[in-house]
């Protein structure tokens, strides 16, 4: 379904391949990697390239060093973990450009791996500086983008470099484009969108675009409060974005014009303060006590949402149903995670916190696709063109090739 060429469509044997990966992993105070999911996610592409006789040059950013060398943002711990996972050495370059890096790249043999130092030690990376992109490109013969999570940014390593080299998608990028593209092109129906999280402002673009495509919306989390308030419900001290009330109304009206079903919470868990020790109780949505805060969806809402989830052909989920980081407020999110996993639908989960919730609940292996790109997956589902994707070579349809030979 992907309309982009991938590593499988080209000959990589004997070539030096520059692979933009997302190794922006969380590190603890001792610079230990606390979650290596992103490194593991890049393994299929790396192993494919090595297995097909390429020399692999891996490139990533880490943290926000803002154009300066920051010792704590070096990629050395990533090189170590990657070497363990691959079972072969990973040469760590001292920088991402410069004579020493060029020397190492030229000397890199097929079947070998090197990792360049943090791209964001150079301000030119985020500025998409053409000269910096050209220097990166000079290290290799082919460009592969496997960093879906950075594809919504036009940076030197995600967009600029593709002007100088044959540019194709990696296998993770391909998986993301197929899973998310499938939601937009021909989802098995009913297509149910489950959204939550703190704020409606960051997700209204997705909601709006998906009103044209989805059948039902199940909305919880903090963002439901703004919709509830727009419907005239008193949510007391709950998180509300008052500057989004008009936008919220517009969404509800458009959804209703298009005969989409929008389900908002009918009962909620409320607390005197949003912390663990505070007094809490379940109330109907019209009985939130003055001064109290909504912290989770209630059991009747879970049941109602479950009924819709059970019927779904396709589910996209982004955003927890409550303040799930606080254990007493996690029940709604966990229940929805379990229902989504058990639904039998094609399921796609995106967003850092939603993915964390799915993992916490222990159902990650029963989700069809867990997106590695938070911001990128949302922008994609807003129907926007991601610069890092646009930069990759298109699959030319067979018809067009036949026509061109005449
Ligand atoms: P994701 O990372 O999956 O895209 P978001 O970052 O949008 O999700 O939202 C996650 C945050 O939303 C969590 O920190 C959670 O505590 C918060 N949240 C969820 N429900 C509420 C609520 N009722 N009130 C305040 N914050 C909430
Ligand atoms: Mg988040």
């Amino acid at each position: 379904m992907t309309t982009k060429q991938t590593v499988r469509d080209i000959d990589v044997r004997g070539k030096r391949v520059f692979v933009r990966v997302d190794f922006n992993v969380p590190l603890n105070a001792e610079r230990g990697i606390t979650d290596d999911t992103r490194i593991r996610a890049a393994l299929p592409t790396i192993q494919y390239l090595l297995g097909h006789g390429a020399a692999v040059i891996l490139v990533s950013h880490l943290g926000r060093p803002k154009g300066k060398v920051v010792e704590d943002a070096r990629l050395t711990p990533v090189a170590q973990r990657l070497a363990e996972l691959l079972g072969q050495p990973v040469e760590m370059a001292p920088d991402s450009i410069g004579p020493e890096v060029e020397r190492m790249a030229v000397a890199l043999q097929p079947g070998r791996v090197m990792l360049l130092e943090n791209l964001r030690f150079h301000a030119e990376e985020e500025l998409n500086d053409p000269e910096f992109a050209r220097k990166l490109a000079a290290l290799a013969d082919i460009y592969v983008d496997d960093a879906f999570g950075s594809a919504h940014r036009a940076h030197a390593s995600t967009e600029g470099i593709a002007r100088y080299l044959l540019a194709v998608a990696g296998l993770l990028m391909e998986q993301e484009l197929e899973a998310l593209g499938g939601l937009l092109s021909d989802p098995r129906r009913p297509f149910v969108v489950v959204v939550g999280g703190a704020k409606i402002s960051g997700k209204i673009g997705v909601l709006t675009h998906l009103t044209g495509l989805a059948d039902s919306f199940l909305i919880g989390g903090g963002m439901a409060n703004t919709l509830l308030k727009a419907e005239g419900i008193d949510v007391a001290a709950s998180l509300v974005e008052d500057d989004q009330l008009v936008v919220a109304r517009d969404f509800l009206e458009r959804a209703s014009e298009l005969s989409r079903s929008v389900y908002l919470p009918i009962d909620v868990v409320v607390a005197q303060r949003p912390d663990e020790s505070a007094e809490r109780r379940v109330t109907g949505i019209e009985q939130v006590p003055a001064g109290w805060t909504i912290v989770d969806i209630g059991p009747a809402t879970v049941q109602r949402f479950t009924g819709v989830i059970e019927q779904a052909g396709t589910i996209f989920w982004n955003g927890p149903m409550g303040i799930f980081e606080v254990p007493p407020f996690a029940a709604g999110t966990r229940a929805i995670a379990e229902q989504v996993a058990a639904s039998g639908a094609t399921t796609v989960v995106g967003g850092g916190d939603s993915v964390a919730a799915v993992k916490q609940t222990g159902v990650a292996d029963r989700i069809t696709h867990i997106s590695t790109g938070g911001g990128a997956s949302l922008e994609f589902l807003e129907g926007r063109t991601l610069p890092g994707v646009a930069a990759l070579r298109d699959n030319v349809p067979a018809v067009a090739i036949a026509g061109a030979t005449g």
Side-chain angles (χ1 to χ4, degrees):
M1 188 199 306
T2 311
T3 59
K4 293 294 173 180
Q5 288 199 4
T6 76
V7 286
R8 288 201 203 87
D9 297 312
I10 58 168
D11 183 13
V12 299
R13 191 162 299 279
K15 301 280 174 43
R16 269 177 292 146
V17 182
F18 181 109
V19 189
R20 176 56 159 103
V21 288
D22 178 3
F23 284 168
N24 186 26
V25 292
L27 297 169
N28 62 23
E30 287 75 47
R31 307 211 62 234
I33 296 169
T34 54
D35 181 350
D36 64 3
T37 306
R38 288 182 168 160
I39 304 177
R40 289 175 188 274
L43 292 177
T45 299
I46 299 169
Q47 282 161 337
Y48 177 92
L49 292 169
L50 294 173
H52 287 77
V56 175
I57 303 171
L58 299 168
V59 196
S60 179
H61 73 280
L62 176 64
R64 298 179 183 277
K66 300 200 175 135
K68 290 197 304 284
V69 176
V70 173
E71 289 305 318
D72 281 352
R74 287 199 181 276
L75 279 161
T76 344
V78 172
Q80 278 164 13
R81 175 63 58 90
L82 178 64
E84 287 164 24
L85 293 170
L86 284 172
Q88 72 175 79
V90 173
E91 286 185 53
M92 185 67 219
D95 199 344
S96 51
I97 53 165
E100 174 61 10
V101 181
E102 284 163 29
R103 194 196 57 73
M104 288 176 73
V106 169
L108 192 71
Q109 295 301 307
R112 299 295 201 165
V113 183
M114 74 184 266
L115 174 62
L116 303 191
E117 187 51 280
N118 197 338
L119 282 161
R120 292 194 185 166
F121 287 177
H122 296 270
E124 293 89 339
E125 158 65 0
E126 291 184 79
L127 294 170
N128 198 6
D129 178 74
E131 186 52 23
F132 183 70
R134 198 191 54 76
K135 286 180 190 163
L136 293 175
L139 300 171
D141 308 305
I142 294 171
Y143 170 71
V144 171
D145 191 356
D146 217 18
F148 178 75
S150 301
H152 57 316
R153 309 273 181 239
H155 292 167
S157 70
T158 61
E159 201 271 342
I161 187 174
R163 298 168 193 264
Y164 301 100
L165 294 173
L166 164 58
V168 299
L171 301 176
L172 175 63
M173 173 69 85
E174 178 188 34
Q175 228 181 58
E176 292 277 5
L177 296 178
E178 283 193 352
L180 296 168
L183 297 177
L184 298 185
S185 61
D186 190 19
R188 194 149 59 94
R189 297 202 176 267
F191 176 16
V192 177
V193 173
V194 186
V195 271
K199 293 184 169 179
I200 193 169
S201 49
K203 297 183 182 172
I204 190 68
V206 178
L207 285 179
T208 303
H209 189 64
L210 292 181
T211 37
L213 296 161
D215 300 292
S216 308
F217 293 84
L218 308 178
I219 306 180
M223 66 181 281
N225 303 338
T226 302
L227 291 160
L228 289 162
K229 185 166 176 180
E231 295 271 71
I233 288 169
D234 179 7
V235 293
S238 307
L239 173 73
V240 169
E241 288 174 279
D242 282 307
D243 60 349
Q244 299 290 313
L245 287 169
V246 174
V247 172
R249 262 256 71 91
D250 285 349
F251 162 70
L252 292 169
E253 268 171 26
R254 190 167 132 76
S256 136
E257 277 163 21
L258 294 169
S259 307
R260 313 302 186 200
S261 313
V262 177
Y263 298 84
L264 296 175
I266 50 176
D267 67 337
V268 283
V269 179
V270 293
Q272 274 191 318
R273 295 177 316 278
D275 72 65
E276 196 147 5
S277 56
E279 191 187 330
R280 60 179 182 273
R281 62 172 85 130
V282 174
T283 68
I285 196 61
E286 303 201 25
Q287 287 86 44
V288 178
W292 289 51
T293 295
I294 298 174
V295 293
D296 195 7
I297 55 174
T301 304
V302 168
Q303 206 171 17
R304 203 155 179 244
F305 285 10
T306 297
V308 179
I309 288 169
E310 280 172 349
Q311 302 299 316
T314 305
I315 301 171
F316 171 66
W317 180 21
N318 175 287
M321 296 289 106
I323 307 176
F324 79 108
E325 309 91 314
V326 180
F329 311 152
T333 301
R334 296 176 74 101
I336 295 303
E338 275 160 19
Q339 295 303 331
V340 168
S343 65
T346 299
T347 51
V348 178
V349 178
D353 293 289
S354 323
V355 171
V358 161
K359 288 184 178 171
Q360 240 180 54
T361 311
V363 298
D365 56 343
R366 287 192 285 144
I367 302 297
T368 313
H369 179 76
I370 294 188
S371 180
T372 53
S377 65
L378 291 180
E379 285 197 21
F380 187 94
L381 293 177
E382 282 176 29
R384 292 209 238 167
T385 303
L386 308 186
V389 176
L392 305 177
R393 183 190 271 198
D394 288 311
N395 253 328
V396 185
V399 207
I401 293 172
T405 56

PDB file of all heavy atoms in Angstrom, residues 113-124:
ATOM      1  N   VAL A 113      28.901  -1.741  10.766  1.00  0.00           N
ATOM      2  CA  VAL A 113      28.017  -0.666  11.217  1.00  0.00           C
ATOM      3  C   VAL A 113      28.807   0.435  11.901  1.00  0.00           C
ATOM      4  O   VAL A 113      29.668   0.155  12.737  1.00  0.00           O
ATOM      5  CB  VAL A 113      27.004  -1.208  12.266  1.00  0.00           C
ATOM      6  CG1 VAL A 113      26.038  -0.111  12.683  1.00  0.00           C
ATOM      7  CG2 VAL A 113      26.240  -2.401  11.705  1.00  0.00           C
ATOM      8  N   MET A 114      28.492   1.675  11.567  1.00  0.00           N
ATOM      9  CA  MET A 114      29.007   2.781  12.376  1.00  0.00           C
ATOM     10  C   MET A 114      27.861   3.712  12.750  1.00  0.00           C
ATOM     11  O   MET A 114      26.843   3.769  12.067  1.00  0.00           O
ATOM     12  CB  MET A 114      30.140   3.533  11.679  1.00  0.00           C
ATOM     13  CG  MET A 114      29.751   4.445  10.538  1.00  0.00           C
ATOM     14  SD  MET A 114      31.223   5.171   9.730  1.00  0.00           S
ATOM     15  CE  MET A 114      31.357   6.725  10.600  1.00  0.00           C
ATOM     16  N   LEU A 115      28.048   4.387  13.891  1.00  0.00           N
ATOM     17  CA  LEU A 115      27.037   5.322  14.378  1.00  0.00           C
ATOM     18  C   LEU A 115      27.666   6.705  14.461  1.00  0.00           C
ATOM     19  O   LEU A 115      28.711   6.886  15.099  1.00  0.00           O
ATOM     20  CB  LEU A 115      26.543   4.870  15.765  1.00  0.00           C
ATOM     21  CG  LEU A 115      25.569   5.799  16.502  1.00  0.00           C
ATOM     22  CD1 LEU A 115      24.266   5.991  15.734  1.00  0.00           C
ATOM     23  CD2 LEU A 115      25.271   5.236  17.907  1.00  0.00           C
ATOM     24  N   LEU A 116      27.035   7.671  13.798  1.00  0.00           N
ATOM     25  CA  LEU A 116      27.533   9.034  13.888  1.00  0.00           C
ATOM     26  C   LEU A 116      27.117   9.645  15.226  1.00  0.00           C
ATOM     27  O   LEU A 116      26.139   9.228  15.827  1.00  0.00           O
ATOM     28  CB  LEU A 116      26.982   9.895  12.745  1.00  0.00           C
ATOM     29  CG  LEU A 116      27.251   9.432  11.308  1.00  0.00           C
ATOM     30  CD1 LEU A 116      26.875  10.534  10.316  1.00  0.00           C
ATOM     31  CD2 LEU A 116      28.704   9.005  11.111  1.00  0.00           C
ATOM     32  N   GLU A 117      27.869  10.656  15.658  1.00  0.00           N
ATOM     33  CA  GLU A 117      27.531  11.347  16.907  1.00  0.00           C
ATOM     34  C   GLU A 117      26.283  12.209  16.698  1.00  0.00           C
ATOM     35  O   GLU A 117      25.883  12.500  15.554  1.00  0.00           O
ATOM     36  CB  GLU A 117      28.749  12.172  17.364  1.00  0.00           C
ATOM     37  CG  GLU A 117      28.633  12.819  18.722  1.00  0.00           C
ATOM     38  CD  GLU A 117      28.196  11.861  19.846  1.00  0.00           C
ATOM     39  OE1 GLU A 117      26.969  11.587  19.948  1.00  0.00           O
ATOM     40  OE2 GLU A 117      29.060  11.395  20.608  1.00  0.00           O
ATOM     41  N   ASN A 118      25.639  12.545  17.787  1.00  0.00           N
ATOM     42  CA  ASN A 118      24.401  13.337  17.828  1.00  0.00           C
ATOM     43  C   ASN A 118      24.369  14.473  16.797  1.00  0.00           C
ATOM     44  O   ASN A 118      25.150  15.422  16.853  1.00  0.00           O
ATOM     45  CB  ASN A 118      24.253  13.915  19.240  1.00  0.00           C
ATOM     46  CG  ASN A 118      22.853  14.402  19.520  1.00  0.00           C
ATOM     47  OD1 ASN A 118      22.091  14.692  18.604  1.00  0.00           O
ATOM     48  ND2 ASN A 118      22.526  14.492  20.800  1.00  0.00           N
ATOM     49  N   LEU A 119      23.431  14.373  15.888  1.00  0.00           N
ATOM     50  CA  LEU A 119      23.267  15.377  14.827  1.00  0.00           C
ATOM     51  C   LEU A 119      23.034  16.772  15.373  1.00  0.00           C
ATOM     52  O   LEU A 119      23.436  17.770  14.775  1.00  0.00           O
ATOM     53  CB  LEU A 119      22.038  15.015  13.994  1.00  0.00           C
ATOM     54  CG  LEU A 119      22.178  13.907  12.977  1.00  0.00           C
ATOM     55  CD1 LEU A 119      20.785  13.404  12.607  1.00  0.00           C
ATOM     56  CD2 LEU A 119      22.906  14.426  11.751  1.00  0.00           C
ATOM     57  N   ARG A 120      22.342  16.838  16.488  1.00  0.00           N
ATOM     58  CA  ARG A 120      21.954  18.157  17.003  1.00  0.00           C
ATOM     59  C   ARG A 120      23.075  18.868  17.762  1.00  0.00           C
ATOM     60  O   ARG A 120      22.849  19.916  18.343  1.00  0.00           O
ATOM     61  CB  ARG A 120      20.686  18.041  17.851  1.00  0.00           C
ATOM     62  CG  ARG A 120      19.498  17.678  16.982  1.00  0.00           C
ATOM     63  CD  ARG A 120      18.183  17.879  17.688  1.00  0.00           C
ATOM     64  NE  ARG A 120      17.093  17.391  16.845  1.00  0.00           N
ATOM     65  CZ  ARG A 120      15.862  17.173  17.278  1.00  0.00           C
ATOM     66  NH1 ARG A 120      15.561  17.412  18.546  1.00  0.00           N
ATOM     67  NH2 ARG A 120      14.919  16.745  16.456  1.00  0.00           N
ATOM     68  N   PHE A 121      24.317  18.314  17.710  1.00  0.00           N
ATOM     69  CA  PHE A 121      25.477  19.080  18.159  1.00  0.00           C
ATOM     70  C   PHE A 121      25.757  20.192  17.137  1.00  0.00           C
ATOM     71  O   PHE A 121      26.554  21.075  17.388  1.00  0.00           O
ATOM     72  CB  PHE A 121      26.714  18.177  18.316  1.00  0.00           C
ATOM     73  CG  PHE A 121      26.660  17.261  19.523  1.00  0.00           C
ATOM     74  CD1 PHE A 121      27.681  16.340  19.749  1.00  0.00           C
ATOM     75  CD2 PHE A 121      25.615  17.328  20.440  1.00  0.00           C
ATOM     76  CE1 PHE A 121      27.653  15.498  20.857  1.00  0.00           C
ATOM     77  CE2 PHE A 121      25.579  16.485  21.554  1.00  0.00           C
ATOM     78  CZ  PHE A 121      26.599  15.568  21.763  1.00  0.00           C
ATOM     79  N   HIS A 122      25.117  20.106  15.975  1.00  0.00           N
ATOM     80  CA  HIS A 122      25.251  21.136  14.937  1.00  0.00           C
ATOM     81  C   HIS A 122      23.905  21.822  14.746  1.00  0.00           C
ATOM     82  O   HIS A 122      22.910  21.155  14.414  1.00  0.00           O
ATOM     83  CB  HIS A 122      25.682  20.501  13.610  1.00  0.00           C
ATOM     84  CG  HIS A 122      27.035  19.864  13.670  1.00  0.00           C
ATOM     85  ND1 HIS A 122      28.194  20.542  13.373  1.00  0.00           N
ATOM     86  CD2 HIS A 122      27.415  18.605  14.029  1.00  0.00           C
ATOM     87  CE1 HIS A 122      29.234  19.729  13.535  1.00  0.00           C
ATOM     88  NE2 HIS A 122      28.788  18.548  13.932  1.00  0.00           N
ATOM     89  N   ALA A 123      23.869  23.126  14.931  1.00  0.00           N
ATOM     90  CA  ALA A 123      22.619  23.878  14.765  1.00  0.00           C
ATOM     91  C   ALA A 123      22.089  23.725  13.343  1.00  0.00           C
ATOM     92  O   ALA A 123      20.886  23.833  13.094  1.00  0.00           O
ATOM     93  CB  ALA A 123      22.847  25.353  15.081  1.00  0.00           C
ATOM     94  N   GLU A 124      22.998  23.455  12.394  1.00  0.00           N
ATOM     95  CA  GLU A 124      22.620  23.333  10.980  1.00  0.00           C
ATOM     96  C   GLU A 124      21.620  22.197  10.736  1.00  0.00           C
ATOM     97  O   GLU A 124      20.889  22.222   9.757  1.00  0.00           O
ATOM     98  CB  GLU A 124      23.863  23.092  10.111  1.00  0.00           C
ATOM     99  CG  GLU A 124      24.823  24.265  10.042  1.00  0.00           C
ATOM    100  CD  GLU A 124      25.872  24.231  11.158  1.00  0.00           C
ATOM    101  OE1 GLU A 124      25.638  23.554  12.200  1.00  0.00           O
ATOM    102  OE2 GLU A 124      26.920  24.879  10.995  1.00  0.00           O
TER     103      GLU A 124
END
